[in-house]
C-alpha cells in the first residue's frame, strides 16, 4: 500500500512557521522521518502559510529534495502553484488534486500530461460532495475517462471517494467504503483508490484510533493508498497487518520488520 506522508502542509503550525521563517531543518526533518517511517511519497502543500504560494512551493520542493529522494505529491487548489512544484520535481510526481469540475479537470489533466505525473481525482464537482455512492462513482468515471482519453495510463490515476468527518455524519463512512468498491470496477485494469485519511477523525477525541480503524476497513474494500501520518506507529502497524491478513505478502513471524525493510 502506498502511504503518502501528510505532514508537510502549511495547515500544521510547525510547518507554517518553518515556511514563513525559511527553516529548512524542520522541513527536512519531517521529510526524513516520514520516509523512514514508511511513506513512499510525500505530500507538499503550502496551505495558508504564505501569500506568495508559488515561491513557497518552490522553496519547499527544493528543500525536501535536498534531504530525501522520495517522490512528491504536489498539493494545491491553484494550478499555477502545482506547476511551479512540478517543474522542480526530480522524480515522477502526483498531482493532488482535481475534481470533476470541467475547467479544473481539463487544466490538471494538461499538467499531468505535460509533466508525466500521476493524477488524483476527488469524486466531487462544482455542486459539492455528493451524498450518494452512485453520483460519486459517476464523477469518478468522468475523471477516469477524461484522463485516459488524454493518454494518462490507468495505473497513474488515483480516485478519491472523499472522506468526511465521522463526527458529523456516521453514514458517510459506509458511503465512502462502498464507493471504493465500485470505483475499482470502473475499468480493467482498475484505477487506483486513495483517500485523505485524517479527514475522518476531525473533531474526534481519539483521532489515531478512528484513523486506523477506518484505514483497516478501507483496505479490505480495495483502498490502494492513503494520505496519512506515517509517524503514527499504531496506524502503520494496523496497515501492515491488514495487508498481511489479506494475503498481500508472505507471512513471517517478524512481519512488521520484514515489511518495513521491503519498502
Amino acid at each position: 500500500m502506498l502511504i503518502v506522508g501528510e505532514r508537510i502542509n502549511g495547515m500544521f503550525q510547525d510547518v507554517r512557521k518553518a515556511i514563513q521563517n525559511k527553516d529548512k531543518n524542520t522541513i527536512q526533518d519531517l521529510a526524513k522521518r516520514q520516509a523512514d517511517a514508511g511513506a513512499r511519497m510525500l505530500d507538499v502543500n503550502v496551505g495558508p502559510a504564505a501569500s506568495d504560494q508559488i515561491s513557497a512551493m518552490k522553496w519547499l520542493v527544493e528543500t525536501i529534495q535536498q534531504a530525501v529522494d522520495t517522490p512528491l505529491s504536489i498539493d494545491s487548489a491553484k494550478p499555477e502553484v502545482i506547476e511551479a512544484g512540478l517543474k522542480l520535481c526530480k522524480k515522477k510526481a502526483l498531482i493532488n488534486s482535481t475534481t470533476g469540475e470541467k475547467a479544473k479537470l481539463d487544466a490538471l489533466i494538461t499538467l499531468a500530461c505535460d509533466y508525466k505525473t500521476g493524477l488524483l481525482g476527488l469524486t466531487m464537482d462544482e455542486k459539492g460532495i455528493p451524498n450518494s455512492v452512485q453520483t460519486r462513482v459517476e464523477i469518478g468515471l468522468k475523471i477516469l475517462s477524461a484522463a485516459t482519453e488524454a493518454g494518462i495510463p490507468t495505473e497513474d490515476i488515483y480516485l478519491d471517494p472523499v472522506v468526511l468527518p465521522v463526527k458529523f455524519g456516521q453514514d458517510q463512512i459506509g458511503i465512502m467504503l462502498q464507493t471504493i468498491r465500485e470505483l475499482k470496477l470502473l475499468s480493467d485494469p482498475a484505477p487506483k483508490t486513495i483517500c485523505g485519511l485524517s479527514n475522518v477523525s476531525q473533531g474526534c477525541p481519539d483521532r489515531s484510533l478512528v484513523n486506523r480503524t477506518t484505514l483497516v476497513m478501507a483496505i479490505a474494500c480495495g483502498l490502494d493508498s492513503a494520505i496519512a501520518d506515517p509517524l503514527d506507529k499504531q496506524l502503520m502497524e494496523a496497515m501492515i497487518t491488514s495487508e498481511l491478513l489479506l494475503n498481500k505478502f508472505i507471512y513471517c513471524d517478524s512481519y512488521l520488520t520484514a515489511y518495513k525493510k521491503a519498502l
Side-chain angles (χ1 to χ4, degrees):
M1 182 174 193
L2 173 67
I3 293 293
V4 182
E6 70 178 11
R7 280 290 283 113
I8 303 177
N9 187 317
M11 293 293 291
F12 292 103
Q13 188 173 0
D14 57 343
V15 176
R16 182 172 184 167
K17 287 178 64 177
I19 293 171
Q20 292 170 345
N21 298 328
K22 294 292 188 285
D23 173 10
K24 286 189 174 185
N25 289 337
T26 295
I27 300 300
Q28 291 179 342
D29 179 63
L30 278 170
K32 290 175 183 176
R33 288 196 292 127
Q34 288 187 103
D36 289 345
R40 291 193 284 122
M41 184 173 281
L42 301 177
D43 201 53
V44 186
N45 189 337
V46 175
S51 55
D52 185 350
Q53 293 189 12
I54 289 178
S55 294
M57 177 61 79
K58 290 178 178 178
W59 178 82
L60 276 175
V61 171
E62 289 174 339
T63 297
I64 293 164
Q65 292 184 146
Q66 288 168 7
V68 298
D69 62 359
T70 309
L72 304 180
S73 164
I74 305 299
D75 189 352
S76 176
K78 300 178 179 178
E80 62 271 23
V81 177
I82 291 175
E83 184 167 20
L86 295 178
K87 286 179 179 179
L88 297 173
C89 286
K90 295 178 180 178
K91 289 195 168 183
K92 184 174 181 176
L94 175 67
I95 292 175
N96 183 10
S97 56
T98 187
T99 66
E101 183 182 352
K102 188 177 189 309
K104 187 170 189 177
L105 182 58
D106 290 347
L108 294 184
I109 283 177
T110 297
L111 286 182
C113 291
D114 289 348
Y115 291 93
K116 303 293 188 264
T117 73
L119 180 66
L120 191 161
L122 298 164
T123 54
M124 57 182 288
D125 56 19
E126 63 275 9
K127 298 177 183 178
I129 301 171
N131 201 36
S132 75
V133 172
Q134 180 180 350
T135 307
R136 293 189 196 191
V137 173
E138 288 172 356
I139 295 171
L141 179 58
K142 176 182 177 181
I143 295 169
L144 177 64
S145 298
T148 54
E149 286 173 13
I152 301 174
T154 305
E155 59 266 26
D156 288 341
I157 300 168
Y158 292 76
L159 297 180
D160 188 329
V162 184
V163 182
L164 294 173
V166 67
K167 183 173 182 179
F168 304 110
Q170 286 177 244
D171 65 326
Q172 289 297 320
I173 304 307
I175 293 171
M176 182 266 286
L177 295 174
Q178 184 60 30
T179 301
I180 292 171
R181 294 188 188 98
E182 297 198 19
L183 289 173
K184 297 299 291 182
L185 301 175
L186 288 179
S187 64
D188 185 13
K192 302 279 181 58
T193 50
I194 190 168
C195 72
L197 182 67
S198 296
N199 290 340
V200 73
S201 63
Q202 291 285 346
C204 293
D206 190 339
R207 296 195 64 185
S208 177
L209 175 60
V210 175
N211 288 343
R212 66 179 178 269
T213 303
T214 303
L215 181 60
V216 168
M217 296 168 68
I219 290 171
C221 291
L223 188 72
D224 300 294
S225 178
I227 302 168
D229 182 6
L231 304 180
D232 182 339
K233 187 171 183 290
Q234 289 182 307
L235 174 76
M236 295 298 287
E237 290 182 348
M239 179 271 287
I240 294 166
T241 305
S242 298
E243 294 214 297
L244 172 75
L245 296 175
L246 289 168
N247 200 30
K248 293 188 177 183
F249 65 95
I250 297 173
Y251 175 80
C252 69
D253 290 336
S254 55
Y255 63 90
L256 294 175
T257 302
Y259 188 103
K260 290 173 183 176
K261 284 183 177 178
L263 290 171

